[in-house]
Structures are given as C-alpha cells and as structure tokens.
C-alpha cells in the first residue's frame, strides 16, 4: 500500500478530465469542489484525506486523479491562470505599458492570495521543474514577461529586471498580505514600493 506521504512526493500530474469515463469525471469534479472548499476554510495544507471523505471517495481515488498536493493545487489554480492569461492579452493593448504591468501584477497578487498557503506554494515551485504547479508557472511567466518587455521597451522599467524575480516578489507580497489580514491595503502599498524601485531613470 502506498502511503499518503509518499504519494505527496510523487511527481506525475493528473489525468486530463476530457479522457475520463463519466463516473471518473464526476469524482474528479467533486474532489476539486471539496478541495476548493477545504482550502478556503483551512488553507492549502488542509487534510487530503478530509477532502476525499467530503467528496465521498477513498483517498486512493483522490491520488489516482491528483498524485500529490501540488497536482491538486495546479488543477484548482488553472481557472486563475486562464483569467491571468486573458487579462495579459488585453493589457498588451493598453496605452500605458507600465500601468498595464502594475494592473496585471495586482491581479496576480489577488489570485495568489485566494487560498491561504497558495502564495507560499507558488514561490516554492518557481524554479522547480518537477512540480505539477510548474504547469501553471510557465504560462504565467510568459504572459508577465510580455507585459514586462513592453514596459522595458517603452523605457519605463529597468532593463535588468527579470520576470522570474518580479513574480517571486509578487508572491512574497501576496504572502505578506496573507500574514497581515488586518491591513487590507498592505499588498497594494508593497507592490507600489516594489515598482518604484524598478522604474528606469
């Protein structure tokens, strides 16, 4: 029997829901629904056994769909990734490149802070190509990179700024806001302080 601990260390990703039988797809959707609820209530370190129980399936079924916690987080974060990609494409046509970058990073902070612990997980996998969460990191890095390059080409952001570093700072800001719930304006202040230091000239 494979333990929960060893499963959480596995590196493979979930099967595509489109390739599933109807009953497997129902289990997949129930697990996602209950994981979102559990993570919203208790953070992303909520018990996966409890997620499976709330979904009405065994823990083995959960691990067949999501071999580890990062795979489950990746599936949950996919909707946010889609929103961020769509938004980045819209903002590429914005008249002020630096303002467009700030707007997108602010939305990134909001999505990363949706579940307690998600920002920390996103930070930890930024340079880990083996994690299922890297599936989310790659398109986000590409989308943010396009907005950053546009701001740099306009002479508004320093040329030595890298999108990977900027995203790490964004995740750190989301984490700081998560740790300070009594200060709703903290994330925005930290983001603006960060961006002042990135400006060219």
């Amino acid at each position: 029997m494979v333990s929960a601990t060893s499963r959480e260390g596995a590196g493979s990703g979930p099967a595509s829901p489109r390739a599933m039988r109807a009953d497997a797809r129902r289990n997949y959707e129930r697990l996602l629904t209950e994981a979102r609820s559990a993570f919203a209530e208790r953070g992303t370190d909520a018990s996966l056994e409890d997620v499976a129980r709330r979904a009405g399936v065994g823990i083995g079924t959960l691990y067949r769909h999501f071999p580890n916690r990062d795979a489950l987080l990746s599936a949950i974060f996919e909707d946010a990734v889609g929103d961020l990609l769509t938004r980045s494409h819209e903002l590429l046509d914005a008249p002020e490149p630096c303002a467009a970058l700030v707007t997108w990073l602010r939305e990134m902070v909001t999505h990363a802070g949706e579940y307690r612990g998600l920002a920390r997980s996103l930070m930890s996998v930024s340079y880990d190509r083996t994690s299922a969460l890297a599936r989310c990191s790659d398109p986000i890095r590409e989308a943010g990179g396009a907005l950053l390059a546009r701001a740099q080409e306009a002479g508004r952001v320093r040329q030595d700024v890298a999108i990977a570093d900027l995203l790490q700072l964004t995740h750190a800001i989301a984490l700081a806001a998560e740790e300070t719930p009594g200060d709703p304006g903290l994330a925005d202040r930290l983001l603006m302080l960060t961006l002042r230091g990135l400006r060219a000239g």
Side-chain angles (χ1 to χ4, degrees):
M1 180 177 177
V2 181
S3 70
T5 301
S6 62
R7 283 286 193 173
E8 289 214 13
S12 57
S16 168
R18 287 191 292 269
M20 297 176 193
R21 300 188 318 268
D23 58 337
R25 183 188 293 269
R26 283 193 296 271
N27 287 341
Y28 178 91
E29 296 298 340
R30 279 203 303 269
L31 284 164
L32 280 182
T33 297
E34 294 303 334
R36 288 187 182 101
S37 177
F39 290 168
E41 291 171 12
R42 295 188 294 283
T44 58
D45 60 350
S47 164
L48 297 188
E49 287 81 1
D50 186 50
V51 170
R53 181 185 58 76
R54 289 165 60 152
V57 302
I59 188 64
T61 298
L62 183 148
Y63 283 129
R64 276 196 295 277
H65 288 292
F66 309 104
N68 50 56
R69 190 177 296 270
D70 278 1
L72 181 55
L73 283 173
S74 177
I76 286 173
F77 197 53
E78 274 182 4
D79 287 344
V81 172
D83 291 344
L84 287 165
L85 296 183
T86 298
R87 193 73 176 111
S88 71
H89 293 146
E90 294 170 352
L91 289 167
L92 283 172
D93 294 325
E96 175 45 66
C98 190
L101 177 63
V102 171
T103 297
W104 189 81
L105 291 173
R106 187 177 285 119
E107 293 181 15
M108 182 72 207
V109 168
T110 298
H111 283 296
E114 186 174 359
Y115 300 102
R116 191 174 70 255
L118 178 58
R120 189 184 302 276
S121 294
L122 290 170
M123 285 182 71
S124 70
V125 303
S126 290
Y127 301 100
D128 180 4
R129 312 316 304 152
T130 66
S131 168
L133 262 178
R135 214 157 48 94
C136 294
S137 298
D138 290 343
I140 286 174
R141 189 178 294 113
E142 183 177 342
L147 291 169
L148 173 61
R150 187 166 175 257
Q152 288 171 324
E153 288 163 7
R156 301 301 304 277
V157 174
R158 291 181 358 222
Q159 291 297 321
D160 62 343
V161 176
I163 188 58
D165 294 340
L166 189 51
L167 287 173
Q168 281 289 76
L169 282 169
T170 304
H171 297 326
I173 289 169
L175 181 59
E178 174 188 307
E179 297 292 332
T180 318
D183 186 355
L186 177 63
D188 207 54
R189 294 200 308 276
L190 291 177
L191 184 59
M192 295 313 296
L193 281 170
T194 299
L195 290 167
R196 285 191 194 113
L198 303 179
R199 286 178 179 162

